[in-house]
């Protein structure tokens, strides 16, 4: 008998545990450890680590995340803004909806790490208009993250790293989630 090796799913390993959707449950399972680590590093170090990891976007192109983050100028005269795309317009795909509903704090932590790496102080999570429930879940998680100091002024007690995160609902058209359309 031939058996297939078991592949561990790190992204969704806790999704069957309803407490993981709460801030306390997320923290109890190691949540925000990545952000804590990122707060000890310089932005360029974070970008290089992500490049070295081979992390790719979850969209159709699978674009290297670290390379995309490196496109943000190191210094800028204007406020830097990060946009996370939760539009999920690929036919038959429910990856974004699942992570928003089952792991909202993973998204918040990832956005905060990306913001730290790029020097962004504002971030928008773009969610397709049809995703009313995931949008509510994310909005509630964002409120909790602000209250616990994981968003807002001095994130993680790191003076000088501030991040405001907003949910923006889409208009229901494919082009709304396209990179230049965002």
């Amino acid at each position: 008998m031939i058996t297939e090796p078991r592949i561990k799913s790190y992204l969704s390993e806790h999704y069957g545990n309803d407490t993981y959707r709460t801030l306390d449950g997320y923290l109890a399972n190691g949540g925000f450890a990545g952000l804590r680590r990122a707060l000890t590093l310089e932005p360029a170090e974070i970008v290089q680590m992500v490049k070295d990891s081979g992390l790719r976007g979850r969209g159709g192109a699978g674009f290297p995340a670290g390379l995309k983050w490196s496109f943000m100028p190191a210094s800028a005269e204007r406020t830097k803004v990060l946009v996370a795309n939760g539009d999920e317009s690929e036919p038959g795909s429910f990856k974004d909806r699942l992570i928003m509903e089952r792991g909202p704090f993973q998204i918040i932590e990832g956005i905060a790490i990306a913001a730290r790496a790029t020097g962004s102080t504002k971030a928008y999570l773009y969610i397709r208009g049809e995703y009313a429930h995931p949008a509510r879940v994310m909005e509630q998680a964002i409120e909790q993250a602000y209250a616990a100091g994981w968003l807002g002024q001095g994130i993680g007690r790191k003076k000088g790293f501030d991040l405001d995160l907003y949910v923006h609902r889409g208009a229901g058209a494919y082009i709304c989630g396209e990179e230049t359309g965002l």
Side-chain angles (χ1 to χ4, degrees):
M1 173 166 68
I2 299 174
T3 60
E4 293 183 35
R6 182 164 177 173
I7 298 172
K8 184 153 176 82
S9 176
Y10 292 101
L11 179 64
S12 60
E13 70 180 309
H14 301 290
Y15 285 9
N17 176 357
D18 285 342
T19 63
Y20 189 70
R21 294 188 294 181
T22 68
L23 180 57
D24 288 341
Y26 186 65
L27 291 168
N29 285 283
F32 290 104
L35 179 55
R36 282 188 194 100
R37 172 80 169 115
L39 293 173
T40 69
L41 302 171
E42 292 299 317
E45 293 176 290
I46 301 167
V47 171
Q48 191 59 52
M49 285 177 73
V50 173
K51 282 182 177 180
D52 293 345
S53 77
L55 179 67
R56 295 180 169 273
R58 296 175 54 154
F63 198 85
L67 181 59
K68 186 174 276 194
W69 293 3
S70 72
F71 295 157
M72 183 74 81
S75 61
E77 296 173 11
R78 296 185 290 179
T79 300
K80 294 180 182 180
V81 177
L82 182 126
V83 178
N85 186 350
D87 182 55
E88 190 165 69
S89 3
E90 298 87 5
S93 174
F94 295 103
K95 64 188 180 350
D96 297 344
R97 185 177 87 188
L98 179 66
I99 194 171
M100 285 186 276
E101 290 178 351
R102 303 301 300 176
F105 293 99
Q106 285 179 300
I107 294 173
I108 294 168
E109 183 175 13
I111 287 171
I113 292 168
R116 171 87 174 132
T118 60
S120 300
T121 57
K122 287 188 180 180
Y124 291 88
L125 173 57
Y126 176 80
I127 301 175
R128 72 178 314 143
E130 297 86 351
Y131 283 2
H133 177 66
R136 280 192 303 274
V137 170
M138 288 305 309
E139 288 166 346
Q140 290 170 354
I142 289 168
E143 285 178 27
Q144 292 174 30
Y146 269 105
W150 295 110
L151 290 172
Q153 301 285 317
I155 293 176
R157 298 177 183 78
K158 175 78 172 178
K159 190 172 185 166
F161 178 50
D162 306 329
L163 178 64
D164 287 315
L165 174 57
Y166 308 94
V167 169
H168 183 81
R169 301 272 308 275
Y174 174 79
I175 195 64
C176 294
E178 191 272 329
E179 182 177 347
T180 58
L182 284 173

